[in-house]
Amino acid sequence: MSRAFVREAEGGEAFENLPDRTLSPHHLVTANGLALMDGAIERLTRSLEAAKTGDDKAEIARVSRDLRYWSARRVSAELASPPTDATRVRFGARVTFERKDGKQQSYEIVGEDEADPTKGKLSYVSPLAQALLGKEVGDTIPVGSTTAEITGIEI
């Protein structure tokens, strides 16, 4: 008989088989990024214990998946040394640039899991970060359909 017409046993909900989150091959992190991972693992460990206590299967499945993800990311994380000079844009540096329209933007180049462009943190594998890395103050980079000039690098 085809399984398509067989009723699942009670409690066999789909959330019990949540697929794992995809792991990126990019592992560089800042010290802050490493601390964020450790904090996520601690929070998720506490959440998992609470979900187990409450026998919340959906929450156990969700938190377990996230805990597996962050634990794997933590094991593979490579702590990058902070930049030691501000002559070139490097991982961990903050770079400011001015677009042709006069708008200034500033981003810190960080690891993927720490990235949040709305907070001024840009993943080192993003196209903009790739355009910035290795450049110096005064260099021009492509930004969308225009260009921008690097006006500052901070470490």
Side-chain angles (χ1 to χ4, degrees), residues 65-86:
R65 178 198 56 194
D66 291 348
L67 186 55
R68 284 191 306 275
Y69 172 82
W70 286 111
S71 295
R73 289 296 288 171
R74 180 62 174 89
V75 167
S76 67
E78 296 175 29
L79 180 60
S81 299
T84 56
D85 69 81

Side-chain angles (χ1 to χ4, degrees), residues 38-115:
D38 289 340
I41 291 168
E42 287 176 28
R43 275 190 316 281
L44 289 166
T45 300
R46 286 191 307 271
S47 294
L48 182 59
E49 289 307 314
K52 285 179 178 178
T53 300
D55 197 31
D56 184 342
K57 289 181 177 42
E59 186 68 358
I60 291 170
R62 186 191 67 74
V63 172
S64 293
R65 178 198 56 194
D66 291 348
L67 186 55
R68 284 191 306 275
Y69 172 82
W70 286 111
S71 295
R73 289 296 288 171
R74 180 62 174 89
V75 167
S76 67
E78 296 175 29
L79 180 60
S81 299
T84 56
D85 69 81
T87 59
R88 291 188 182 276
V89 178
R90 291 176 171 71
F91 184 91
R94 176 164 292 283
V95 59
T96 303
F97 55 90
E98 185 173 332
R99 300 163 77 109
K100 277 191 167 185
D101 64 6
K103 181 180 179 185
Q104 282 199 342
Q105 292 179 280
S106 183
Y107 292 103
E108 181 182 359
I109 310 296
V110 298
E112 280 185 317
D113 296 312
E114 186 181 357

Side-chain angles (χ1 to χ4, degrees), residues 108-112 115-117 121-130:
E108 181 182 359
I109 310 296
V110 298
E112 280 185 317
D116 185 347
K121 295 186 179 277
L122 195 61
S123 168
Y124 75 103
V125 296
S126 70
L128 180 55
Q130 289 294 301

